[in-house]
Amino acid sequence: MALPFHGRGAAVGAGQESTYGTAVSRTHWRQTISSSAYRKVTRNYRPGLVGVSSAYANRATVSGVTECGGSFDHVLTYEGSGLLLYHAFGDASSAGSAPYTHSYTVGGLPTGLTMEFIESGDSGSVAQVAEGCKISRMSLRWNSPSEVALMSCDFIAEDISAYASAGSPSYGAGGLDLIGHQLGALSWNGNNYDLISLEMILDNKLDRRYKLGSRLTKEPTRTDFAEVTWRAEVEWENNNALTDFRAEVQGDVAVTSTGTGNHACTFTLHNAQLWDAPKGVDGPGPGRQTLEWRGLSDGTDEGFKIAMTNDDSTDIAN
């Protein structure tokens, strides 16, 4: 009896496409925590009433469009995350020299990525290649002081190949992890909040575009304005957040993670409004409160910005 493939050795690689849906070599590699890439053909029942009188169920189907996509999780690092951040946000720029500061802001999304999902380090047909990948949703999460920050991406793809032999991942030399204890206090409207946990979500509101003559989607595009949400869990130490919530205060929310050497990263939610601030009591211990902000555009700042400082000379370095 054959042994099963194992998840050890799983990785995801990416390369920038110049033409949507035309596959390119994978030059940027990340070690994954989990991944799921899928390809399915939708099926519709063939309409018609002709049949035998004893037929009580549908007798035929018609193959429809091909739907491809998936998700993957990996560790957020001070170096090597730039390509995926660029394709999640849309705009990237760099300044300085050793160290460099790379800024990622919400803008028009790049053409797309070719991505390879190696699902096992075992030999055999263990890898799928997805072409025409666009990041539809990105989440950054800090769950505790002792855990690394996680980056999760959902993506839409034009097509995904059958399983084949895996490529050869080549990881960059850098890649120091962002860790929970490196994250400073979150600031908003003159008040600082020590964090228990934090999540940042960028929803690009992408959707597939099917047209007659093909089973595959055209290049996905935004069907609505991008939406940026931050959720922070804090201890209930005062009523500053509730006071600002009732006053409908608006302003930038910011937090910085400081690593070693030249590594640091500042996250800013622009023109933020507090949308919810629930606080319950469920025991004798310290009270907790969840604060949820949404970032807004003012025509210059587009709701969300990441400023990553590192030794990479480009904003999409491996």
Side-chain angles (χ1 to χ4, degrees), residues 4 19 26 32 65 101 146 149-150 158 181 189 193 195 203 205 212 239 271 316:
T19 301
R26 280 67 69 195
T32 54
V65 297
T101 298
S146 60
L150 301 179
E158 181 197 52
H181 62 73
N189 194 37
Y193 299 89
L195 300 167
D203 187 347
K205 303 294 184 181
L212 298 176
N239 290 315
N271 311 300
I316 58 169

Side-chain angles (χ1 to χ4, degrees), residues 287-306:
R288 292 190 176 189
Q289 189 173 19
T290 300
L291 307 177
E292 179 180 311
W293 290 272
R294 302 282 177 93
L296 301 173
S297 169
D298 60 11
T300 300
D301 297 321
E302 288 294 333
F304 192 6
K305 177 181 178 180
I306 292 179

Side-chain angles (χ1 to χ4, degrees), residues 8-292:
R8 299 186 299 268
V12 59
Q16 293 196 98
E17 296 177 352
S18 56
T19 301
Y20 178 75
T22 300
V24 297
S25 299
R26 280 67 69 195
T27 55
H28 293 66
W29 290 90
R30 306 291 294 170
Q31 300 177 22
T32 54
I33 298 170
S34 64
S35 67
S36 175
Y38 69 87
R39 181 185 191 274
K40 67 179 182 181
V41 176
T42 61
R43 299 189 183 278
N44 303 308
Y45 289 117
R46 183 182 183 278
L49 302 176
V50 176
V52 296
S53 59
S54 59
Y56 295 104
N58 285 290
R59 297 172 62 87
T61 62
V62 176
S63 297
V65 297
T66 299
E67 184 178 304
C68 300
S71 62
F72 57 94
D73 300 337
H74 62 97
V75 177
L76 181 63
T77 54
Y78 289 104
E79 295 181 0
S81 297
L83 180 67
L84 295 176
L85 289 174
Y86 169 48
H87 279 261
F89 278 82
D91 282 344
S93 62
S94 299
S97 59
Y100 304 87
T101 298
H102 311 293
S103 298
Y104 304 91
T105 55
V106 179
L109 295 177
T111 300
L113 294 167
T114 297
M115 304 194 73
E116 180 174 351
F117 294 89
I118 300 176
E119 299 179 7
S120 174
D122 298 334
S123 61
S125 298
V126 295
Q128 299 182 87
V129 174
E131 59 192 40
C133 297
K134 308 273 279 194
I135 295 177
S136 56
R137 185 180 185 274
M138 179 198 72
S139 169
L140 307 177
R141 303 189 307 279
W142 290 257
N143 294 322
S144 82
S146 60
E147 296 182 32
V148 294
L150 301 179
M151 179 177 180
S152 301
C153 295
D154 297 339
F155 69 93
I156 295 173
E158 181 197 52
D159 204 1
I160 297 179
S161 67
Y163 279 98
S165 298
S168 300
S170 176
Y171 303 106
L176 290 174
D177 302 336
L178 277 75
I179 309 173
H181 62 73
Q182 299 173 342
L183 201 65
L186 180 147
S187 64
W188 182 58
N189 194 37
N191 297 308
N192 292 327
Y193 299 89
D194 292 325
L195 300 167
I196 297 171
S197 65
L198 177 65
E199 182 176 23
M200 306 172 181
I201 300 169
L202 171 58
D203 187 347
N204 279 315
K205 303 294 184 181
L206 293 184
D207 202 359
R208 297 175 177 84
R209 298 166 53 230
Y210 292 109
K211 296 188 177 182
L212 298 176
S214 176
R215 289 184 174 184
L216 304 180
T217 179
K218 300 295 184 183
E219 183 176 349
T221 188
R222 289 191 176 108
T223 59
D224 201 346
F225 295 106
E227 186 174 72
V228 185
T229 305
W230 285 19
R231 295 190 185 96
E233 187 179 18
V234 300
E235 288 186 337
W236 180 38
E237 299 173 346
N238 52 58
N239 290 315
N240 291 335
L242 290 171
T243 299
D244 291 342
F245 183 40
R246 293 171 65 91
E248 301 183 6
V249 169
Q250 184 172 359
D252 291 353
V253 182
V255 65
T256 297
S257 181
T258 304
T260 59
N262 293 329
H263 298 98
C265 189
T266 297
F267 305 84
T268 305
L269 187 68
H270 295 123
N271 311 300
Q273 293 179 335
L274 190 58
W275 278 48
D276 203 1
K279 183 198 67 61
V281 177
D282 59 2
R288 292 190 176 189
Q289 189 173 19
T290 300
L291 307 177
E292 179 180 311

